[in-house]
Amino acid sequence: MLKHLPEGLTPFQDCGFDRKPHLPLAGEGVQVFCRTEEQPALHLCVNGGERLLSPAQVDERHWRFDLGAFQYGDEVSYRFSGDSRVFAFEPLREALCHQPVSLMQRGHEACVVFDAFHLLFRADETLTVSASTAQPPEWNECEEITLPLRENFSLHVQKSPFIWELKRFSNEKPVLSVSQYRVWEGMRGGIGSIGHLGALNVQHVWGTGERFHQVDLMGSETNGRVVEKFTQQGDQTYLPIPFFMTDGGFGCFRSSSISAEMRFGETFAVCQRTQGETLFEDVYFFGAPADVLAQFIRRTGQPVLPPDWAFGLWMSANGWNCDAEVDAQLSAMKEHDYPADVMVLEAWSDERTFYRWNDAQHWADPAATVRRIREAGLHAVLWQIPIVKYEWDGEPGEALLQDEKEAIENRYCVMNADGTPYRITENWFHNSLILDFTNPEAVKWWFAKRKPLLDMGVEGFKTDGGEFLFDETARLHNGMTGLEAHNLYPSQYVGAYHDFLRENGVHGVTFSRADFTGAHTRPMHWAGDQLSTWSELQSQLRAGLSAGLSGVLFWGFDIGGFAGELPSAELYLRATAMACFCPVMQWHAEPRSGQFYATHEDGFINDRSPWNLAQKLGDQSVLIISTAFAKLRRRLKPYLVSEAEHCTEAGRPLMAHLCIDFPEDETACACNDQYMLGRKLLVAPIVQEGQVQRQVYLPKGRWKNVFTAETFAGQQWVTIACPLDQIPVFERQE
């Protein structure tokens, strides 16, 4: 099978079968790469003339075609011999737009007209800035405009030299300015991409989704794309959100699903591919960080409150694939007097359909298994994936073959532009179909197969994956292309499961890795896959803080990491302590074989349960201290439930950066390793190996150490000793 995807797979990986550059400029050399077992040939068509090209061999399976450069206006397409697909592109030209044709005003609206597009500014409760290639309005022309905004802000637009600025009456300098736009346009396809360049006069930038590399994004950049990256995520994320806010009294939401690249620093730049007449729309909110975040959350959907039980302790491991495994965990809970509220089963299904339980050798009576889980005081959550699987390793079986047949015949799956079914291009579950959740009939078909799970007492789904829509030319039932649907697909998938639970009267929960704008309407989320290392624990803390600053209200991570060598006792207990004071407290482990296979004997159990780790590490303190934190979590749950109710009403993350509550405190705003859990508890996790004490910043007020009862005045740094059975947590005193 020949493989070629012009746009490639991910921002961090050279797949070896893409086009470089993906969107060529006129005069720029173009190379096309493919992967196939036998030497391919390429038919290149330029302005109706066709010629056959031979490749250069990159390695045993990868080949390169040098297409040369093309002129603006050329019509270019190519196909590979023996492959019916035709790939086309239009050479683009880059234009710098910094001198408008006209500037116009009507009431609280302004319009800046450039040759290729126009900007429309609308000032009311928010400021909306949009760009369009449609016919511009005909209003009164002027040379400059000033429009009043909320919170003592104003918008100033000037025709020559062109600039638009956000100003605050108390500041001489604008907090934001944009002086030029760059467009990449084709002769026939219009504007294919647009970006702006400007400046920010702020100290801190927060948001853009769950970020593992930095909380404060000043001096950093983000690509805005939903990405699956197994461990060590760096600057990639499963959960981007095109929203940021600043300590300068404003925030911005790019109301688009197409990935927007943002750069914050000496230059403030945003660049995005475009589709259709509307090139982009930005909405600016004004106020303190808490107000800006609440405005953004209200604009993008009503927050949903999870059930009370979801704020208890979650226990999970991929190896629990039979009655014996489940019963062993229930027995261990009872033996060690370990309180938990949720049991997640990942390896419960036939591993083909993901709605049928595995055979009777694994599960004698699935309904009885769920009943035993519930009788033990736990709520059952089952793992899901939004695919009709392509079976590579064995017989697919009659049920899967029938599912595939029905999905294709009825167009329940995402389709290619040529009407054939889209199949996952590469990596996890490659060649599988993905369900089209924009098709109401497909949704009915999909969940009719899963309704028996609810009937037997399942109360939630771990909605994993969703990062699979790679091809920009794919088509969804609602007319979306893969370009605009890639980021939206996880939210369509998770949202459908959330609706499925609600429509069947189950006050349950989805637990998701990937998502996008509006994640607060389909809680809860976890940080995905990390190694059992200290550096990954530090990245998890950053991810939780940045997710909250982006509107993700209820978030958690895998205690002690998910993959690789077992965590040390110290790492596991520090992670347990942090998770005890996070919105979601859960431990989980990779499959027994392991993506990072680190076991030392056949049948080695790599569960991150405290009883397994105590046995494997030869350290009973792991079990003793973990159980104490589990019991503390049980006592903490009423507070968490009450604060979660407030969070959904107020539009506030349960795990909140200190800037939310103390925006006037410069030290608090610069503190990126502490947070408020609700409105009363300040948490300062230990995330460094060998650390037995740490500096904690206490904002204004009086604070009581939850573990020692010692009280402190605020607006100072204090040094707190912290043994393994404690974590620096302070209760805000009235």
Side-chain angles (χ1 to χ4, degrees):
M1 177 187 296
L2 184 145
K3 191 156 289 191
H4 175 63
L5 185 68
E7 58 268 37
L9 287 173
T10 66
F12 65 88
Q13 178 185 42
D14 185 352
C15 66
F17 48 81
D18 57 349
R19 182 172 69 227
K20 290 184 173 65
H22 173 218
L23 300 176
L25 291 172
E28 192 171 22
V30 179
Q31 295 180 321
V32 166
F33 296 81
C34 68
R35 188 177 75 199
T36 186
E37 301 294 338
E38 298 180 356
Q39 180 172 325
L42 183 142
H43 300 261
L44 175 65
C45 183
V46 183
N47 300 325
E50 184 173 306
R51 57 193 174 99
L52 189 66
L53 299 183
S54 297
Q57 188 165 10
V58 178
D59 58 32
E60 186 177 345
R61 300 176 64 206
H62 291 88
W63 309 82
R64 185 190 76 241
F65 294 88
D66 295 305
L67 273 57
F70 305 94
Q71 300 304 309
Y72 184 70
D74 283 348
E75 295 185 58
V76 185
S77 65
Y78 59 92
R79 63 179 179 85
F80 299 94
S81 294
D83 191 326
S84 63
R85 296 173 298 165
V86 176
F87 304 91
F89 64 87
E90 183 180 9
L92 305 176
R93 67 180 179 188
E94 182 180 0
L96 183 63
C97 304
H98 57 86
Q99 184 55 57
V101 175
S102 63
L103 172 62
M104 300 179 288
Q105 181 178 5
R106 183 187 69 178
H108 290 278
E109 295 178 290
C111 182
V112 179
V113 181
F114 293 101
D115 288 330
F117 69 97
H118 69 268
L119 292 172
L120 187 64
F121 299 83
R122 186 175 66 252
D124 44 38
E125 288 297 301
T126 60
L127 170 66
T128 302
V129 183
S130 59
S132 174
T133 58
Q135 185 69 25
E138 295 183 4
W139 298 340
N140 296 325
E141 293 208 26
C142 49
E143 291 299 312
E144 59 181 320
I145 298 170
T146 298
L147 299 177
L149 299 164
R150 293 184 59 217
E151 302 291 332
N152 294 321
F153 276 89
S154 66
L155 167 71
H156 178 70
V157 188
Q158 180 177 290
K159 180 180 176 183
S160 184
F162 169 70
I163 195 168
W164 71 263
E165 302 170 320
L166 286 180
K167 291 186 174 182
R168 211 167 191 176
F169 294 156
S170 58
N171 293 347
E172 292 185 10
K173 288 186 176 180
V175 292
L176 178 149
S177 61
V178 175
S179 56
Q180 61 183 16
Y181 288 83
R182 285 180 178 169
V183 297
W184 290 261
E185 57 184 345
M187 184 173 287
R188 297 165 190 83
I191 293 177
S193 186
I194 186 169
H196 73 237
L197 293 174
L200 287 173
N201 181 30
V202 298
Q203 295 296 312
H204 306 291
V205 177
W206 303 292
T208 78
E210 178 188 55
R211 294 292 165 186
F212 295 85
H213 68 306
Q214 283 183 222
V215 177
D216 187 342
L217 295 171
M218 183 56 73
S220 183
E221 57 187 63
T222 59
N223 61 42
R225 185 171 175 84
V226 168
V227 170
E228 182 213 346
K229 186 174 189 304
F230 183 66
T231 75
Q232 300 171 304
Q233 282 76 25
D235 59 0
Q236 308 300 317
T237 183
Y238 307 100
L239 209 170
I241 295 178
F243 163 80
F244 69 88
M245 59 183 181
T246 73
D247 63 324
F250 74 95
C252 178
F253 166 47
R254 172 146 293 195
S255 182
S256 172
S257 63
I258 300 175
S259 303
E261 300 176 7
M262 299 185 181
R263 185 165 77 247
F264 308 100
E266 291 185 6
T267 299
F268 168 51
V270 180
C271 186
Q272 179 194 303
R273 297 277 301 284
T274 66
Q275 189 166 281
E277 283 187 350
T278 300
L279 306 180
F280 69 80
E281 180 183 85
D282 290 336
V283 182
Y284 288 85
F285 308 98
F286 303 97
D291 299 326
V292 167
L293 185 57
Q295 291 174 61
F296 165 67
I297 289 172
R298 285 195 299 270
R299 187 180 184 94
T300 51
Q302 177 61 39
V304 172
L305 180 67
D308 293 0
W309 51 262
F311 296 98
L313 189 148
W314 296 49
M315 47 191 288
S316 175
N318 187 273
W320 302 346
N321 63 354
C322 61
D323 284 319
E325 291 278 3
V326 168
D327 291 340
Q329 303 310 314
L330 298 180
S331 176
M333 281 179 56
K334 185 174 181 180
E335 176 186 352
H336 302 298
D337 190 25
Y338 186 86
D341 293 79
V342 183
M343 175 175 275
V344 181
L345 298 181
E346 286 205 349
W348 64 277
S349 78
D350 58 6
E351 296 295 324
R352 284 169 172 77
T353 68
F354 306 104
Y355 60 82
R356 292 154 48 109
W357 290 75
N358 211 343
D359 58 40
Q361 292 182 347
H362 292 82
W363 310 102
D365 182 348
T369 301
V370 174
R371 190 161 55 248
R372 289 198 306 279
I373 292 171
R374 297 190 66 166
E375 288 170 352
L378 297 166
H379 300 262
V381 172
L382 301 184
W383 186 85
Q384 288 287 276
I385 198 77
I387 66 163
V388 178
K389 186 180 181 183
Y390 185 89
E391 184 56 66
W392 291 94
D393 300 325
E395 292 298 323
E398 183 179 343
L400 178 55
L401 289 174
Q402 184 63 27
D403 285 350
E404 183 180 60
K405 180 174 182 290
E406 292 179 12
I408 293 173
E409 288 181 353
N410 296 296
R411 301 175 71 90
Y412 291 158
C413 51
V414 173
M415 308 299 287
N416 290 315
D418 63 4
T420 60
Y422 167 76
R423 293 185 179 274
I424 297 173
T425 310
E426 188 80 341
N427 299 333
W428 200 27
F429 291 115
H430 66 287
N431 218 42
S432 298
L433 308 174
I434 61 174
L435 194 81
D436 187 345
F437 288 97
T438 73
N439 183 339
E441 293 304 313
V443 170
K444 289 179 185 177
W445 175 79
W446 185 262
F447 288 114
K449 299 174 182 296
R450 286 153 178 81
K451 176 64 162 56
L453 302 175
L454 300 187
D455 295 339
M456 67 177 59
V458 171
E459 295 177 85
F461 294 99
K462 186 172 184 178
T463 35
D464 202 357
E467 309 93 342
F468 303 125
L469 187 49
F470 298 112
D471 194 329
E472 293 181 355
T473 66
R475 293 293 188 273
L476 275 66
H477 177 80
N478 67 355
M480 281 189 172
T481 65
L483 173 62
E484 57 188 326
H486 173 83
N487 283 344
L488 278 182
Y489 185 82
S491 60
Q492 295 166 350
Y493 152 48
V494 178
Y497 273 81
H498 176 77
D499 292 342
F500 171 55
L501 290 166
R502 184 189 59 196
E503 290 164 2
N504 284 277
V506 179
H507 187 34
V509 69
T510 54
F511 194 42
S512 311
R513 181 178 77 175
D515 211 324
F516 193 60
T517 302
H520 55 277
T521 67
R522 39 191 178 267
M524 302 167 123
H525 296 82
W526 96 101
D529 302 335
Q530 286 85 46
L531 293 168
S532 294
T533 65
W534 287 96
S535 61
E536 294 277 67
L537 178 60
Q538 293 152 21
S539 75
Q540 288 164 338
L541 175 56
R542 292 190 289 266
L545 287 169
S546 58
L549 290 164
S550 306
V552 179
L553 303 191
F554 309 114
W555 172 95
F557 66 100
D558 294 341
I559 291 173
F562 164 81
E565 295 283 353
L566 296 179
S568 67
E570 181 189 6
L571 171 59
Y572 185 76
L573 292 175
R574 291 304 193 196
T576 297
M578 182 173 115
C580 181
F581 290 90
C582 273
V584 182
M585 181 182 187
Q586 67 115 18
W587 40 263
H588 179 50
E590 65 181 333
R592 294 278 165 81
S593 57
Q595 284 98 321
F596 284 86
Y597 190 70
T599 58
H600 309 291
E601 59 193 62
D602 289 341
F604 186 89
I605 296 175
N606 57 357
D607 292 3
R608 268 60 169 174
S609 66
W611 36 89
N612 183 61
L613 287 176
Q615 189 268 323
K616 292 291 188 294
L617 299 174
D619 188 345
Q620 283 302 111
S621 70
V622 170
L623 177 56
I624 294 168
I625 296 173
S626 292
T627 303
F629 275 115
K631 291 178 177 178
L632 175 57
R633 178 70 174 202
R634 178 62 59 87
R635 297 193 299 273
L636 189 63
K637 192 164 76 167
Y639 168 78
L640 296 175
V641 169
S642 175
E643 287 300 299
E645 291 174 353
H646 171 76
C647 287
T648 56
E649 293 168 0
R652 169 199 171 95
L654 186 53
M655 179 180 179
H657 190 283
L658 298 186
C659 71
I660 298 296
D661 289 280
F662 310 99
E664 305 301 326
D665 188 328
E666 293 183 5
T667 303
C669 287
C671 186
N672 295 316
D673 62 354
Q674 301 178 195
Y675 55 89
M676 294 295 295
L677 184 65
R679 291 165 291 176
K680 290 186 178 181
L681 296 180
L682 184 148
V683 185
I686 303 281
V687 294
Q688 301 285 343
E689 184 175 13
Q691 192 172 12
V692 294
Q693 65 180 27
R694 69 158 286 175
Q695 291 280 300
V696 178
Y697 180 70
L698 300 176
K700 65 181 179 181
R702 290 197 63 78
W703 301 87
K704 183 174 78 170
N705 187 316
V706 167
F707 286 88
T708 68
E710 187 177 4
T711 59
F712 299 87
Q715 291 189 297
Q716 66 165 326
W717 290 92
V718 295
T719 301
I720 302 298
C722 189
L724 286 174
D725 60 352
Q726 295 180 18
I727 177 175
V729 177
F730 296 84
E731 183 177 10
R732 198 176 188 175
Q733 304 298 286
E734 297 297 336

